[in-house]
Amino acid sequence: MSILMFLLLATTTTKALGQGTRVGFYLRTCPRVESIVQATVKKHFQSNPTVAPGLLRMHFHDCFVQGCDGSILIDGSSTEKSAGPNLLLRGFDVIDDAKSQLENACPGVVSCADILALAARDAVVLTNGPTWLVPTGRRDGRVSSASDTNNLPAFTDSVDVQKQKFAAKGLNTQDLVTLVGGHTIGTSACQLFSYRLYNFNSSGAPDPSIDSAFLPQLQSLCPENGDGSKRIGLDNGSSDKFDTSYFSNLRNRRGTLESDQKLWTDASTQAIAQRFLGIRGLAGLTFSVEFGKSMVKMSNIGVKTGSDGEIRRVCSAING
């Protein structure tokens, strides 16, 4: 897809959602914003590649709570950042680094919410993923509460619950499968799926949906009563590269998280995954193209623009 088509897509999507974001928002006020964020993400990625999936997850978790307003970045004992679902996120130092540079280049202009949206895109690109034009113009939220993270999509959610949570944010079933497909990069802690390997649903046996040849591999990586913090790839065999093998793993019953594998058990979500795989008889979908579209759509959830919110001086604290 051409850059022009992505521009039209981003502009159309933004207008359709009635938001005040637009591509090129900082063209006059801070023209180097994208190059500064891109260079910062690249620098951190080169020394620690795990920041790529970390930034992508962070943006997702930010948008699903209070909208895409950078509220996940705020420090505190009862903020979103301190909540269980966010304790394992990585990349906060990348956002702080980019913000510091941008405050030197154009003080008080670029929001932390926009930095995170740009950084998530740049992180995907560094893992051989697609690029897309990011509408900017978000302002930063002033509220961040750990209790608001309770409705984040969870690793035990059924497909129906996942659909409900995405629909509540204006995202459809295709957006759900596409965005969860972001698990093509990154890892999960054993503690988030090891229950599937030994005593699933108190049955005394493993989750029967796991491929029998894959089960011993997972059990050796995550022994019963072992180190729950040990990290395992979400996309078996390709967790550092953005590709469609994540969907192949679901087809082969090799999804790491329970919620991921369930996407292959529901007819509506399976059909979308099959289209990403180009299965014969179905109209194909290009994962990399659809991912960019769904990311633009997600990045406009509940954004604060105009006089709403603020432009934080530092991303980890509300002004004043």
Side-chain angles (χ1 to χ4, degrees):
M1 179 176 287
S2 70
I3 290 296
L4 176 59
M5 290 178 69
F6 262 121
L7 176 59
L8 291 172
L9 163 69
T11 304
T12 302
T13 303
T14 301
K15 288 180 178 177
L17 292 172
Q19 305 289 4
T21 58
R22 68 177 187 272
V23 173
F25 181 85
Y26 298 109
L27 197 58
R28 294 179 180 175
T29 56
C30 193
R32 295 179 55 227
V33 57
E34 295 210 23
S35 62
I36 289 173
V37 173
Q38 183 183 58
T40 305
V41 173
K42 184 176 182 179
K43 177 184 70 174
H44 285 265
F45 175 82
Q46 287 174 335
S47 61
N48 179 12
T50 66
V51 302
L55 290 167
L56 179 58
R57 309 278 190 277
M58 192 187 301
H59 183 39
F60 181 97
H61 284 209
D62 183 43
C63 291
F64 265 70
V65 180
Q66 297 283 346
C68 309
D69 67 349
S71 52
I72 196 171
L73 304 169
I74 298 171
D75 286 339
S77 59
S78 59
T79 63
E80 292 171 37
K81 190 175 183 178
S82 70
N86 296 329
L87 289 176
L88 299 178
L89 289 178
R90 307 175 184 197
F92 291 102
D93 55 333
V94 183
I95 305 301
D96 290 339
D97 187 357
K99 177 62 171 174
S100 176
Q101 294 180 57
L102 287 165
E103 285 300 297
N104 286 331
C106 29
V109 172
V110 181
S111 70
C112 300
D114 278 343
I115 295 171
L116 180 51
L118 292 167
R121 185 269 313 274
D122 296 338
V124 168
V125 172
L126 287 167
T127 61
N128 294 314
T131 189
W132 60 91
L133 294 178
V134 177
T136 46
R138 301 166 190 78
R139 288 171 67 84
D140 297 320
R142 298 189 181 100
V143 175
S144 183
S145 174
S147 61
D148 289 336
T149 66
N150 292 336
N151 285 325
L152 277 169
F155 56 89
T156 57
D157 284 348
S158 68
V159 173
D160 283 344
V161 169
Q162 292 182 66
K163 287 180 179 179
Q164 291 166 12
K165 289 181 177 180
F166 276 71
K169 303 300 179 185
L171 300 170
N172 60 34
T173 301
Q174 182 171 312
D175 295 317
L176 159 62
V177 178
T178 304
L179 292 170
V180 174
H183 286 169
T184 180
I185 56 172
T187 59
S188 168
C190 286
Q191 65 194 35
L192 300 184
F193 65 89
S194 59
Y195 66 93
R196 300 181 66 206
L197 311 181
Y198 302 99
N199 187 25
F200 183 62
N201 289 342
S202 302
S203 65
D207 183 346
S209 70
I210 303 174
D211 172 44
S212 59
F214 185 47
L215 178 63
Q217 183 179 333
L218 286 178
Q219 290 175 327
S220 66
L221 292 168
C222 298
E224 193 168 13
N225 302 317
D227 180 6
S229 65
K230 184 178 179 182
R231 303 194 69 85
I232 307 301
L234 285 166
D235 183 4
N236 179 53
S238 182
S239 60
D240 58 353
K241 183 180 179 182
F242 193 99
D243 54 26
T244 59
S245 69
Y246 165 81
F247 299 107
S248 297
N249 277 319
L250 297 188
R251 178 184 58 194
N252 297 329
R253 297 164 51 212
R254 293 186 169 217
T256 302
L257 297 181
E258 180 184 358
S259 56
D260 285 4
Q261 189 58 54
K262 283 177 176 174
L263 295 178
W264 199 263
T265 65
D266 177 272
S268 62
T269 52
Q270 184 192 95
I272 296 165
Q274 287 176 326
R275 291 177 69 188
F276 284 141
L277 290 173
I279 291 178
R280 187 176 299 177
L282 294 172
L285 279 174
T286 303
F287 178 46
S288 59
V289 172
E290 299 306 320
F291 191 79
K293 292 179 183 178
S294 291
M295 285 294 290
V296 169
K297 193 172 174 181
M298 183 192 77
S299 74
N300 274 308
I301 295 173
V303 299
K304 296 168 177 62
T305 58
S307 60
D308 196 9
E310 65 184 13
I311 304 298
R312 281 185 223 138
R313 287 186 286 272
V314 294
C315 292
S316 58
I318 297 166
N319 292 345

